[in-house]
Amino acid sequence: MSTQKLAKVLIIDDEHSSIEVMTTMLESTMTVYVAETAEEGYNLLQLHDIDIILLDVDLPDLSGFDLCKKIKSDQCFVDIPVIFISGYKDLIFEIQAFEAGGIDYLTKPISPVKMLIRMSVALKIKLPIPNAKNIRLG
């Protein structure tokens, strides 16, 4: 069995339950880095060759929107896809996410299947997604 990881993902979120859900879903197929502040996330971004970022809107030191703008203003990181993760369901937040440079916007609680599908599209790779027959509706 191959132990090679498909991608390197940086999760920047200060909510432990969200981090746990995302990490659990991703760690078997991806190398996962976790930061709980914008500063810590930016530092990890500079240290590792990150393929995709899952970014919370609300961080204790800087908004996710501002961090995304900072990331996208740096030529080294401009092409890294950023998927926003937020508890805000209002359209205004989604608009701000795209204006900041995000490529997608998912709301909490995180749907692991949706997250994997969106990441798969963003990374242009096939991630293991649970079979549709095994997903209960309603």
Side-chain angles (χ1 to χ4, degrees):
M1 186 167 119
S2 173
T3 57
Q4 183 167 346
K5 302 291 183 164
L6 296 173
K8 293 177 186 165
V9 60
L10 173 58
I11 298 170
I12 308 172
D13 195 330
D14 64 332
E15 190 175 298
H16 294 278
S17 60
S18 293
I19 292 169
E20 189 175 323
V21 168
M22 291 185 277
T23 302
T24 300
M25 285 300 294
L26 301 173
E27 64 189 354
S28 66
T29 56
M30 296 189 179
T31 302
V32 179
Y33 299 96
V34 176
E36 294 186 18
T37 66
E39 181 181 6
E40 185 183 351
Y42 197 77
N43 290 339
L44 284 172
L45 185 59
Q46 292 173 313
L47 292 173
H48 304 283
D49 187 22
I50 300 297
D51 297 305
I52 191 165
I53 300 168
L54 300 175
L55 178 58
D56 188 16
V57 169
D58 276 333
L59 297 170
D61 56 341
L62 188 69
S63 83
F65 303 131
D66 289 336
L67 177 57
C68 188
K69 289 176 190 173
K70 180 178 178 178
I71 291 167
K72 294 300 178 178
S73 71
D74 188 322
Q75 280 305 113
C76 295
F77 310 129
V78 71
D79 293 327
I80 299 173
V82 176
I83 298 176
F84 277 92
I85 308 291
S86 176
Y88 299 115
K89 294 175 178 24
D90 298 336
L91 182 59
I92 189 69
F93 293 99
E94 198 167 337
I95 291 168
Q96 286 179 286
F98 287 104
E99 287 176 345
I103 62 150
D104 213 331
Y105 187 92
L106 297 171
T107 56
K108 294 178 182 180
I110 299 294
S111 161
V113 173
K114 265 189 194 178
M115 181 184 71
L116 288 172
I117 291 168
R118 305 289 175 80
M119 290 178 71
S120 187
V121 170
L123 291 168
K124 298 177 177 73
I125 60 173
K126 182 151 178 61
L127 294 174
I129 297 169
N131 188 318
K133 291 182 223 169
N134 298 333
I135 299 171
R136 290 194 298 185
L137 302 174

